[in-house]
Amino acid sequence: MNEKAANEKAVIQKNAIEARNIVKTFGVGQAAARALDDVTVEIRQGEFFTLLGPSGCGKTTLLRLIAGFEMPTEGTILLDGQDITYLPPNKRPVNTVFQSYALFPHLTVAQNVGFGLEMQGRPKAEVNDTVARMLALVKLEPLAHRKTNQLSGGQQQRVALARALAPSPKVLLLDEPLSALDLKLRKEMQIELKRLQVETGITFVFVTHDQEEALTMSDRVGVMSQGKLQQVGSPKDIYTKPVNRFVASFIGETNFIAARAEAGKVHLATGDTIDIAGLSAGGNVTVTIRPEQLRLVDKTETGAMRATVKSLVYFGTDTHCYLSLTDGSEVVARLQSPASGDAGLTPGQSVGLRAVPGAAQIVLD
Amino acid sequence: MANPSLKPQRKRAFSVANLPGFTTIAIVAFVALYLPIITLAAYSFNASQSVAVWGGFSLDWYAKAWANDQVKDATVRSLIIAVSASLIATAVATMAALGTTRRRSFKGQTFIYVVINQPLMVPEIVSAVALLIFFSSIKVATGYTGLGYLIIAHAAFCIPFAYLPIRARLEGMDLSLETAAADLYATPWQTFRKVTLPILAPGVMAGAMLAFVISLDDVVITEFVKSGGQDTLPTYMLGQMRRQLTPEINAISSMLLALTVVLLTLFFLLTRKNDQ
Ligand SMILES: Nc1ncnc2c1ncn2[C@@H]1O[C@H](COP(=O)(O)OP(=O)(O)OP(=O)(O)O)[C@@H](O)[C@H]1O
Ligand SMILES: [Mg+2]
């Protein structure tokens, strides 16, 4: 009995953040716009969760609602199972790393990092201890007494991180924290962030519109578009099993081919038939196949789609081969470049095209 | 042969400021502004009685002004009024600036700007007459005749001077700093104390100094509002000049000038863009 209750409790407590049916509208009447449209999401304790989506899809808005800078028009937000929907930001054990860093210009690096702890009224000794620990964590000890405007972008970034981590929040929110950094620094900070997350065990909610960043860093990704959460899943799930056309095209490159599903078989508009595992849909569907899952075969091979090579673009490790199918639609195949660098193809050439078994997926529109 | 028009002519960057004539006009304006002041300061060291004929170097007029009890009284009064009025004006201006910049534009915003900046727009003589009439009815009703009237009148016309630099500073402030403070567990009051005010401080100081200088220098409103025996330094000087003009006036003016220059220099240092 006791054990069962404890188990149940453990299950309930697994979610750090639970957002339920969140609607957020800005403006009133005619000018009202829905930034978030019925978003429900559960973010697990200790995970690296990424919100991914194009500009204006509502990522920042969702983050601001979790931080408490804004209140939802409808819906509830729970933190560790407690309703925090209308709690002001200074009462939430949630901290933010701002895109602009928002470091206090009148304070030193150490004072910035200690700000949260001081406001919480922690004893001086504890503040100093934690600040020292945080500065060590982000490798900024030598700069403790600098003013923040004497730091480079990457260093400011680390101060912002240390400042937000110092009060040991239950959840750390990061709004495109790397977007102001150049490519090299960005890659370094990606690794650094991941390391910090693992070391501290704090739940990270990370916002980005860079799909590569989302795939490489996250435990789970939530893909958003136009105020709606389209799909939540592991990077692998999102990439290999996109639920709809938007997710399939936003994450990586892909090909869409119109098709009809009938009696467990999928008939492409090109007249070919392919197998799709676990097919349940019927009628008109869209099939998606990633470029790297297409293989060029001999045009006489049975079951292969017929295609004509349109153009070839050499990318070093691989070569992108643009092809047109018999129904006129265009697809791209990514072929590993052979050692000679020459794929042995010429535009205008007729070839056979085949998807790697299991690679074709059906997506909703 | 190379195209002659492409030959480098003179090392001079392309700039509108390099248009011919600009330098001349600037120099003329500079002379017109500063020559009288330099003359005034120079004649304060004049040994003769005249403010126009040089009679050798001396510090007599400074000593005389220093020993003059009326000058001392007027100076003390001027300082009391300027300090009190600039403190009041700065406090009001800070609140007004917070109120007008920290919200989305609202109906009547322009009206509020006009109200705050009224002293800059209404002719000073009109304000002076209005204050005279208003205060004299209060004087009759209450019997109070102290410096309070002058302090309130000065505070009122100093508000826009204090308001402008504070508002400029507030508008330049990154609002996400306050959001960050709230995120880091600061209450609204702590946010104001620990973040807003320190960042605003140079603007507030600049506003206070400007208000102080403006108050110190006022003649028109003071002349109308003051009761008997409430001369400030400027009104005392005006009264003296009606009787006789001696280099003592130059000496007092020069000291006032020195103080103003120091304060205004501080003001510019504080409002410099590239602070901290
Ligand atoms: N304060 C506001 N007032 C009015 N509309 C707003 C406000 N904040 C956001 N919006 C609108 O809500 C929508 C979502 O904005 P949000 O900032 O959440 O997008 P985002 O996904 O963070 O985009 P980006 O990647 O460009 O930062 C946008 O259409 C935006 O115009
Ligand atoms: Mg955003």
Side-chain angles (χ1 to χ4, degrees), chain A residues 26-27 33-36 53-62 64 70 99 175-176 207-209 224, chain B residues 104:
Chain A
F26 288 107
R34 280 199 168 199
L36 291 175
S55 187
C57 70
K59 306 179 297 284
T60 299
T61 307
L62 185 54
R64 289 175 63 84
E70 215 106 43
Q99 182 169 0
D175 192 356
E176 306 202 25
V207 162
T208 183
H209 57 244
M224 290 183 72
Chain B
R104 302 251 169 78

Side-chain angles (χ1 to χ4, degrees), chain A residues 69 89-90 92-96 98 102-104 106 116 119-120 163 167, chain B residues 174 176-177 179-187 190 194-195 198-199 276:
Chain A
F69 306 141
N90 56 317
R92 300 184 186 203
V94 169
N95 290 343
T96 308
F98 294 84
L103 299 178
F104 303 123
H106 59 296
M119 292 302 116
Q120 285 181 322
R163 185 179 72 173
Chain B
D174 179 2
S176 64
L177 295 177
T179 314
D183 189 56
L184 292 163
Y185 314 102
T187 60
Q190 283 174 318
K194 301 274 180 180
V195 176
I199 292 173
Q276 277 149 16

